[in-house]
């Protein structure tokens, strides 16, 4: 009789415990064990959270090299069927070989679940018939669990799901994440409802009212506007948001300044719009006299020097604006011209709010009256809100991350090196996207009801935005080069992002080159090819002009694409998500919508018209509460480079992970040291603040 030593580890997470009876079968190349009930002196405590328990499985003869294990659990009368989250199973054979079976999945039924040995295998390496059958069975089950669906024609496809509980257990929120997420959302909304602002369809009466509500200052609320609504004289939202950040106070103090307005194109929540301008667009008819009235500079010379930049919101042109509180809203498609000054500040020098030049479409300049110029900047910031939320954030991180994840989970088995490499970057993405569709962009969602691009205009804009997505625009080094931003100063998103891209690329190169020794092996890997085919078809709707590969021919092609996937799901999402409340907590800097059309004649604006243009109170507070929620970190946050689940079992990938983590720590230290001397620290690309996946 031969003995196999079996060690079962249950994850140390909330609700991972099972009190059911657990059974195992060992399957080897030369035979298999009997189905064995795992019981030892620990009794019912053997599979409690964090527990590591040892057992012995006997076989009459050697079953050869282990290929897989079969696990199942059965409920009892006193312990009905529950959920169990085992992390891994290790088996030591009589010959002294140790086999590791990574699991990291919820088992919440009484069915038999099969898990392969942890050594990563591509499909053509899996020569054992039993292993191949197990692999085929796994993928068939995954195809049923992870099905494509169409949310709206012309945008990336999504995973078919009827609700959060219909998602496979392995991709759902943890108990901790679920509890915190819904408590946070409920607490914020409850606070707003208690203060009576969420249903207030009135204009803000003055800037001081906005200041008293949102700037986290411990001052009493007074004045007819609030008191007539029987609102308790206290800090309205401060108790909810005070712990989040004090940065909105800085924004409140500086939002009118041209230098801060220009700075935000580089280092706020959407650093993806600005590009160097080498020739003025034909629809922006400005002259030297208009933008440089003192004669100190000439446009042509400054463009040749690389000192002129453009932000063109042409994708918003023709998008139908929403109706909110029964009132038509307004959305512009501005062009913004900026100048890098000799002291390295990026200053706006001209703003045209509509794409087509006309007599009723004046070009605004810093020399205009205070409220003409400020109103023009407010319309730009409102356009920026829509461009950021729908294109830079929703489309280019959330929706693409879902495509990457669904294709991985449908087409790539757990034993594949690509699965092991990318599965940490899919954590919570499918559920957070489902909730976003239901709570933010559904018919009664916050974004639909209260933003200028909510409703009919949203899908139209998403379609237009997808048509502008190219492979190179998703690869940061290429994107920076294409936009001509290699040398613009004080561009911390670029500086930190390029360092991160390089670090991620080296890590991906090391891991994938360990498994793919030559280009032929890439071509022969049918599971890898199916993964990219699904991404091309369901993510980019088979559009060749995107440049997205339909297949892989070389190791280098795989490395580049996987680098882009990891960067998009971690660093890029952090860059466009982390600062939402920082820059949007003070609403005038980031209006979710605007209620008056832009001025058609200069000299007709005032503080009163500006206040009537800004969103109503309820739209303001709903937008702010949502941005606060989306900026809030969960306590089970996993930062980039951390792998609490050990999917790899070989030593060399572990070495690459350690090197990866060391490089990330070094970059984090350098960013922290730099930020000490910055008036506005840039933290969104600090590896310690980057979540491994699109999880919020």
């Amino acid at each position: 009789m031969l003995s196999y030593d079996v060690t079962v580890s249950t994850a140390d997470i909330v609700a991972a415990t099972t009190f059911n009876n657990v059974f195992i079968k060992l399957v080897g190349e030369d035979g298999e064990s009997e189905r064995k009930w795992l019981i030892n002196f620990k009794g019912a405590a053997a599979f409690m959270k964090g527990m590591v328990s040892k057992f012995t499985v006997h076989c009459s003869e050697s079953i050869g090299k282990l290929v897989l294990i079969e696990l199942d659990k059965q409920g009892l009368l006193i312990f009905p069927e529950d959920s169990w989250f085992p992390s891994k199973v290790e088996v030591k054979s009589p010959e002294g070989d140790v086999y590791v079976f990574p699991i990291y999945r919820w088992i919440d039924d009484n069915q038999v679940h099969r898990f392969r040995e942890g050594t990563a295998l591509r499909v053509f390496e899996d020569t054992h018939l039993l292993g191949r059958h197990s692999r085929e069975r796994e993928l068939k089950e995954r195809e049923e669990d992870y099905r494509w669906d169409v949310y709206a024609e012309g945008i990336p496809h999504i995973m078919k799901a009827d609700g959060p509980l219909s998602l496979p257990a392995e991709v759902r929120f943890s108990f901790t994440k679920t509890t915190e997420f819904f408590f946070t959302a409920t607490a914020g909304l409850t606070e707003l409802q208690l203060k009576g602002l969420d249903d207030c369809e009135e204009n803000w009466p003055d800037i001081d009212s906005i200041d008293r509500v949102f700037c986290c200052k411990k001052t009493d609320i007074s004045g007819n506007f609030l008191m007539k609504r029987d609102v308790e004289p206290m800090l309205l939202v401060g108790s909810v948001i005070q712990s989040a950040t004090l940065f909105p106070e800085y924004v409140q103090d500086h939002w009118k300044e041209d230098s801060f307005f220009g700075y935000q194109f580089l280092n706020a929540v959407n650093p993806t719009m600005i590009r160097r301008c080498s020739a003025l667009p034909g629809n922006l008819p400005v002259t030297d006299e208009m933008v440089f009235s003192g004669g100190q500079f000439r446009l042509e010379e400054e463009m040749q020097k690389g000192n002129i930049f453009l932000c063109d919101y042409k994708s918003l042109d023709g998008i139908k604006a929403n109706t909110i509180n029964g009132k038509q809203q307004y959305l512009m498609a501005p062009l913004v011209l900026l100048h890098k000054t000799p002291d390295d500040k990026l200053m706006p020098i001209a703003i045209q709010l509509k794409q087509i030049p006309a007599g009723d479409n004046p070009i605004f300049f810093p020399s205009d009256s205070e409220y003409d110029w400020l109103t023009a900047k407010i319309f730009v910031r409102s356009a920026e809100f829509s461009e950021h939320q729908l294109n830079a954030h929703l489309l280019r991180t959330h929706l693409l991350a879902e495509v990457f994840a669904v294709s991985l989970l449908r087409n790539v088995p757990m034993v594949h090196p690509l699965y092991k490499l990318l599965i940490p970057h899919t954590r919570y993405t499918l559920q957070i996207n489902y909730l976003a569709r239901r709570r933010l962009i559904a018919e009664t969602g916050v974004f639909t009801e209260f933003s200028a691009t909510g409703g009919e205009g949203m899908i139209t804009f998403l379609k237009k935005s997808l048509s502008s997505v190219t492979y190179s625009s998703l690869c940061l080094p290429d994107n920076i080069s294409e936009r001509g931003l290699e040398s613009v100063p004080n561009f911390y998103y670029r500086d930190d992002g390029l360092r991160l891209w390089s670090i991620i690329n080296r890590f991906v190169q090391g891991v994938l080159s360990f498994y793919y020794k030559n280009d032929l092996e890439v071509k022969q890997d049918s599971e890898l090819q199916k993964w990219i085919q699904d991404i091309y078809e369901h993510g980019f709707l088979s559009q060749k002009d995107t440049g997205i590969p339909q297949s892989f021919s070389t190791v280098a092609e795989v490395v580049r694409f996987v680098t882009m996937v990891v960067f998009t799901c971690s660093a890029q999402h952090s860059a466009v998500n982390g600062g939402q409340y920082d820059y949007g907590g003070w609403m005038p800097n980031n209006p979710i919508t605007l209620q008056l059309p832009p001025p058609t004649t200069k000299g007709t604006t005032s503080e009163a018209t500006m206040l009537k243009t800004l969103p109503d109170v309820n739209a303001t507070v709903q937008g702010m509460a949502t941005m606060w929620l989306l900026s809030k970190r969960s306590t089970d946050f996993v930062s980039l480079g951390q792998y609490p689940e050990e999917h790899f079992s070989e030593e060399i990938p572990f070495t690459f992970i350690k090197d990866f983590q060391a490089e990330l720590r070094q970059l984090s230290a350098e960013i922290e040291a730099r930020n000490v001397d910055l008036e506005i620290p840039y933290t969104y690309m600090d590896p310690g603040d980057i979540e491994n996946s699109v999880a919020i």
Side-chain angles (χ1 to χ4, degrees):
M1 188 68 66
L2 300 178
S3 297
Y4 290 79
D5 298 326
V6 176
T7 303
V8 179
S9 300
T10 298
D12 190 14
I13 60 175
V14 176
T17 298
T18 183
F19 293 108
N20 293 174
N21 288 336
V22 175
F23 298 83
I24 193 170
K25 178 190 284 190
L26 309 180
V27 181
E29 292 183 345
D30 301 327
E32 58 186 48
S33 72
E34 297 291 330
R35 176 172 174 265
K36 165 73 174 178
W37 177 25
L38 295 179
I39 186 169
N40 61 15
F41 68 93
K42 296 178 182 178
F47 305 106
M48 293 184 68
K49 82 179 191 71
M51 191 67 69
V52 178
S53 300
K54 297 182 181 298
F55 309 90
T56 301
V57 173
H58 298 290
C59 294
S60 58
E61 57 185 10
S62 174
I63 59 177
K65 180 181 178 181
L66 294 191
V67 177
L68 58 87
I69 59 173
E70 295 183 354
L71 285 178
D72 69 286
K73 64 178 185 61
Q74 305 298 323
L76 304 170
L77 183 61
I78 56 173
F79 294 126
E81 191 172 290
D82 56 20
S83 295
W84 177 41
F85 195 96
S87 53
K88 62 182 177 179
V89 173
E90 297 180 67
V91 180
K92 184 176 181 181
S93 72
E95 295 81 13
D97 297 317
V98 177
Y99 301 89
V100 180
F101 299 85
I103 301 175
Y104 302 107
R105 293 177 64 180
W106 288 101
I107 297 177
D108 53 7
D109 55 27
N110 60 4
Q111 303 301 305
V112 173
H113 297 265
R114 298 170 179 83
F115 300 97
R116 298 292 308 278
E117 201 276 327
T119 302
L121 294 173
R122 294 149 302 171
V123 63
F124 55 85
E125 293 179 319
D126 208 353
T127 56
H128 194 272
L129 183 61
L130 188 61
R132 293 181 70 89
H133 285 170
S134 172
R135 192 176 190 131
E136 292 168 0
R137 187 185 304 113
E138 178 190 350
L139 289 181
K140 185 175 181 180
E141 292 172 354
R142 287 182 172 277
E143 287 178 357
E144 289 298 316
D145 288 340
Y146 299 94
R147 290 175 289 166
W148 294 108
D149 198 7
V150 176
Y151 181 75
E153 294 295 335
I155 68 173
H157 296 169
I158 64 172
M159 179 180 168
K160 187 175 182 59
D162 297 324
L165 295 180
S166 74
L167 295 169
E170 63 182 324
V171 299
R172 288 183 218 150
F173 285 177
S174 66
F175 178 83
T176 300
K177 175 77 171 181
T178 300
T179 303
E180 289 185 351
F181 184 85
F182 287 104
F183 173 78
T184 300
T186 302
L189 291 174
T190 299
E191 187 81 4
L192 293 172
Q193 290 166 355
L194 286 174
K195 307 311 176 186
L197 294 179
D198 64 311
D199 61 352
C200 175
E201 299 180 3
E202 299 177 19
N203 292 120
W204 291 100
D206 50 54
I207 288 292
D208 288 342
S209 297
I210 308 173
D211 184 17
R212 286 193 294 267
V213 172
F214 295 113
C215 282
C216 302
K217 295 177 180 177
K218 296 180 179 179
T219 57
D220 288 342
I221 301 298
S222 60
N224 294 333
F225 167 69
L226 294 175
M227 295 304 292
K228 73 179 181 181
R229 299 184 54 79
D230 298 322
V231 178
E232 191 176 18
M234 61 190 300
L235 181 64
L236 294 184
V237 195
S239 59
V240 180
I241 65 176
Q242 196 162 8
S243 63
T245 175
L246 294 178
F247 189 72
E249 288 191 3
Y250 180 94
V251 176
Q252 191 270 343
D253 290 336
H254 297 274
W255 73 285
K256 294 181 180 180
E257 297 172 7
D258 286 356
S259 58
F260 183 66
F261 178 83
Y263 172 88
Q264 292 182 83
F265 290 111
L266 297 176
N267 299 309
V269 290
N270 185 16
T272 67
M273 282 295 295
I274 189 170
R275 59 179 59 244
R276 194 180 298 278
C277 179
S278 57
L280 288 176
N283 60 337
L284 184 60
V286 297
T287 64
D288 287 337
E289 291 73 21
M290 293 176 177
V291 295
F292 298 129
S293 57
Q296 182 180 1
F297 304 103
R298 294 185 60 83
L299 262 175
E300 186 61 36
E301 292 176 358
E302 290 301 290
M303 284 191 289
Q304 290 177 1
K305 292 178 182 178
N307 291 335
I308 302 297
F309 299 85
L310 179 70
C311 288
D312 188 349
Y313 295 85
K314 57 187 176 184
S315 293
L316 289 169
D317 191 32
I319 300 299
K320 183 178 179 180
N322 206 357
T323 299
I324 300 173
N325 298 332
K327 294 177 281 188
Q328 178 63 52
Q329 307 295 295
Y330 294 88
L331 178 69
M332 296 299 106
L335 296 98
V336 184
L337 203 64
L338 302 112
H339 177 226
K340 184 189 78 66
T341 62
D343 59 353
D344 288 340
K345 291 182 179 179
L346 195 63
M347 304 292 282
I349 56 176
I351 295 173
Q352 181 177 289
L353 294 178
K354 302 175 188 177
Q355 287 286 307
I356 300 176
D360 61 354
N361 181 25
I363 302 175
F364 295 93
F365 306 104
S367 57
D368 291 334
S369 70
E370 176 186 358
Y371 283 102
D372 277 358
W373 182 236
L374 185 58
T375 299
K377 290 192 292 183
I378 287 173
F379 271 96
V380 172
R381 292 299 305 164
S382 186
E384 173 67 16
F385 176 89
S386 293
E387 174 70 35
H388 162 255
Q389 290 292 358
L390 290 179
N391 186 9
H393 186 206
L394 176 61
L395 173 62
R396 288 174 175 257
T397 61
H398 279 263
L399 296 187
L400 291 186
E402 181 165 0
V403 170
F404 301 149
V406 174
S407 185
L408 182 78
L409 293 164
R410 272 181 62 86
N411 299 308
V412 184
M414 292 178 66
V415 75
H416 197 287
L418 184 70
Y419 180 95
K420 295 173 181 290
L421 181 60
L422 289 184
I423 195 62
H425 304 289
T426 70
R427 182 173 182 254
Y428 297 160
T429 297
L430 298 182
Q431 183 162 348
I432 200 68
N433 279 10
Y434 174 85
L435 292 173
R437 284 189 286 270
R438 191 171 74 175
R439 292 169 175 254
L440 296 182
I441 64 174
E443 186 174 345
T444 57
V446 172
F447 197 91
T448 304
E449 290 194 330
F450 295 105
S451 75
T453 41
E456 180 182 331
M458 178 177 61
I459 299 301
T460 303
F461 181 65
L462 283 171
K463 291 178 182 178
K464 292 179 70 173
S465 298
L466 182 61
S467 68
S468 70
V469 175
T470 61
Y471 187 17
S472 60
S473 72
L474 299 173
C475 297
L476 186 64
D478 299 328
N479 178 264
I480 293 296
S481 178
E482 288 175 354
R483 291 193 284 148
L485 303 178
E486 298 93 334
S487 60
V488 60
N490 305 320
F491 194 9
Y492 308 115
Y493 162 79
R494 175 205 58 206
D495 297 342
D496 300 348
L498 289 177
R499 288 283 303 278
L500 274 167
W501 179 279
S502 180
I503 292 169
I504 293 169
N505 183 254
R506 280 193 293 275
F507 171 59
V508 171
Q509 172 79 40
V511 172
L512 291 180
S513 295
F514 174 69
Y515 294 104
Y516 294 100
K517 302 303 183 184
N518 54 62
D519 295 341
L520 180 61
E521 292 183 346
V522 166
K523 296 176 183 178
Q524 292 176 336
D525 191 336
S526 61
E527 291 162 347
L528 175 70
Q529 301 295 347
K530 188 65 171 67
W531 177 65
I532 188 60
Q533 287 168 13
D534 256 19
I535 291 171
Y536 174 75
E537 178 182 348
H538 296 280
F540 299 90
L541 309 185
S542 302
Q543 297 298 312
K544 292 183 180 180
D545 54 1
T546 62
I548 296 294
Q550 302 177 50
S551 62
F552 293 126
S553 299
T554 68
V555 177
E557 289 175 354
V558 182
V559 169
R560 183 184 185 223
F561 193 86
V562 172
T563 299
M564 181 275 291
V565 169
V566 174
F567 185 87
T568 297
C569 296
S570 56
Q572 185 63 21
H573 179 254
S574 178
V576 300
N577 180 77
Q580 289 192 80
Y581 183 74
D582 288 347
Y583 287 92
W586 174 248
M587 176 275 291
N589 185 62
N590 203 42
I592 191 171
T593 188
L594 295 174
Q595 303 195 87
L596 290 182
T600 58
T601 305
K602 292 187 181 184
T604 59
T605 58
S606 64
E607 181 176 359
T609 57
M610 181 189 73
L611 289 166
K612 290 178 181 178
T613 301
L614 292 174
D616 282 337
V617 173
N618 62 340
T620 300
V621 297
Q622 290 285 358
M624 190 284 299
T626 301
M627 285 184 281
W628 173 71
L629 170 64
L630 297 180
S631 300
K632 191 170 177 62
R633 178 187 296 187
S634 171
T635 57
D636 68 352
F637 171 98
V638 177
S639 63
L640 178 62
Q642 300 305 308
Y643 300 100
E645 298 179 354
E646 296 180 358
H647 288 277
F648 288 106
S649 60
E650 302 96 323
E651 185 61 33
I652 291 180
F654 277 129
T655 301
F656 287 131
I657 289 173
K658 291 178 182 177
D659 293 343
F660 183 41
Q661 293 170 337
E663 288 196 73
L664 292 173
R665 285 194 299 271
Q666 177 63 32
L667 176 58
S668 182
E670 293 176 13
I671 290 173
E672 289 181 11
R674 177 203 66 202
N675 284 343
V676 169
D677 297 322
L678 296 182
E679 181 179 359
I680 306 175
Y682 185 76
T683 61
Y684 310 124
M685 288 290 208
D686 183 333
D689 290 331
I690 296 173
E691 193 152 12
N692 236 344
S693 59
V694 178
I696 188 61

